[in-house]
Amino acid sequence: MSFFRTLARPMLASSFVIAGVDKLKNADDTAQQLSPLLRKAAASLPFKSDEKTLARVIGGTQVGAGVLFGLGKFSRLSATLLTVISLLNTFVEWRSADISTKEGRENRRNQLLKNLSLSGGALLASVDTAGKPGLAWRAEHLAADARKNASHLAADARKTTNKKLHKADKVVRRAVEQATGA
């Protein structure tokens, strides 16, 4: 891991960890914010949704993924989880913000921009391969190398076959010449 990744991951993760701990401590407030969203989604969910339990699950997932990301363990997976949770939090906070005053609207906008920035950072981190090629790149280049090697093998086989045919042709001509006495 490069110096900058070693420094940047805990910096980005700290916000998620602190927000997750806050959600765990204040599960009732988080549940209240989630309530309107869950009421709309309850019909399509295959299970009964309890806002407080969901708030704790989100908070725990945020803490766990943030710690793993900060330590550089399962960083792409944990960054993906943080992105999803961050976008969910962005939407929930944006919908539940007080916009009755000018100050409230400004706070809502600032929170939205902050949350979108954090989501963007987590999204970038979720596709960061730490300088190592990803699986798709590896598979693509492995296939290209296999095609190139197959092409070289076919060319070598043609050369070898042509040499053998040329030698066989010489042997047959000599044999014909000796047989005909020429």
Side-chain angles (χ1 to χ4, degrees), residues 56-130:
R56 288 183 179 135
V57 168
I58 290 172
T61 303
Q62 200 167 355
V63 170
V67 168
L68 286 174
F69 180 72
L71 294 173
K73 305 293 180 193
F74 305 105
S75 55
R76 291 178 73 188
L77 174 64
S78 56
T80 302
L81 284 172
L82 291 174
T83 301
V84 170
I85 290 171
S86 180
L87 289 172
L88 174 68
N89 288 338
T90 300
F91 179 72
V92 168
E93 287 179 15
W94 181 76
R95 285 191 46 108
S96 64
D98 176 29
I99 57 170
S100 59
T101 64
K102 183 178 179 181
E103 184 179 295
R105 288 188 295 275
E106 285 180 13
N107 285 339
R108 177 184 180 189
R109 184 195 59 181
N110 291 338
Q111 277 297 108
L112 176 67
L113 292 174
K114 179 199 72 136
N115 287 337
L116 286 175
S117 298
L118 284 172
S119 298
L123 183 61
L124 278 175
S126 71
V127 296
D128 179 30
T129 59

Side-chain angles (χ1 to χ4, degrees), residues 3-179:
F3 170 74
F4 291 110
R5 282 185 183 89
T6 304
L7 185 64
R9 281 190 177 138
M11 290 170 65
L12 182 59
S14 65
S15 177
F16 292 107
V17 171
I18 290 169
V21 168
D22 187 47
K23 280 181 182 47
L24 288 172
K25 282 182 180 177
N26 304 313
D28 292 328
D29 294 340
T30 306
Q32 186 179 4
Q33 287 179 330
L34 286 172
S35 185
L37 181 65
L38 283 178
R39 269 188 256 126
K40 287 182 180 180
S44 62
L45 293 175
F47 52 86
K48 186 178 180 314
S49 58
D50 176 33
E51 289 97 359
K52 195 168 183 178
T53 303
L54 185 61
R56 288 183 179 135
V57 168
I58 290 172
T61 303
Q62 200 167 355
V63 170
V67 168
L68 286 174
F69 180 72
L71 294 173
K73 305 293 180 193
F74 305 105
S75 55
R76 291 178 73 188
L77 174 64
S78 56
T80 302
L81 284 172
L82 291 174
T83 301
V84 170
I85 290 171
S86 180
L87 289 172
L88 174 68
N89 288 338
T90 300
F91 179 72
V92 168
E93 287 179 15
W94 181 76
R95 285 191 46 108
S96 64
D98 176 29
I99 57 170
S100 59
T101 64
K102 183 178 179 181
E103 184 179 295
R105 288 188 295 275
E106 285 180 13
N107 285 339
R108 177 184 180 189
R109 184 195 59 181
N110 291 338
Q111 277 297 108
L112 176 67
L113 292 174
K114 179 199 72 136
N115 287 337
L116 286 175
S117 298
L118 284 172
S119 298
L123 183 61
L124 278 175
S126 71
V127 296
D128 179 30
T129 59
K132 298 175 189 161
L135 290 177
W137 185 92
R138 290 178 191 182
E140 180 181 320
H141 281 77
L142 184 64
D145 289 346
R147 282 192 300 272
K148 193 184 298 182
N149 287 339
S151 174
H152 289 297
L153 287 174
D156 289 346
R158 277 192 303 272
K159 284 181 188 177
T160 303
T161 303
N162 286 338
K163 284 182 183 178
K164 298 290 181 185
L165 286 174
H166 185 67
K167 275 187 180 181
D169 187 45
K170 279 186 178 180
V171 169
V172 169
R173 282 186 187 180
R174 270 193 226 136
V176 169
E177 285 174 2
Q178 287 176 354

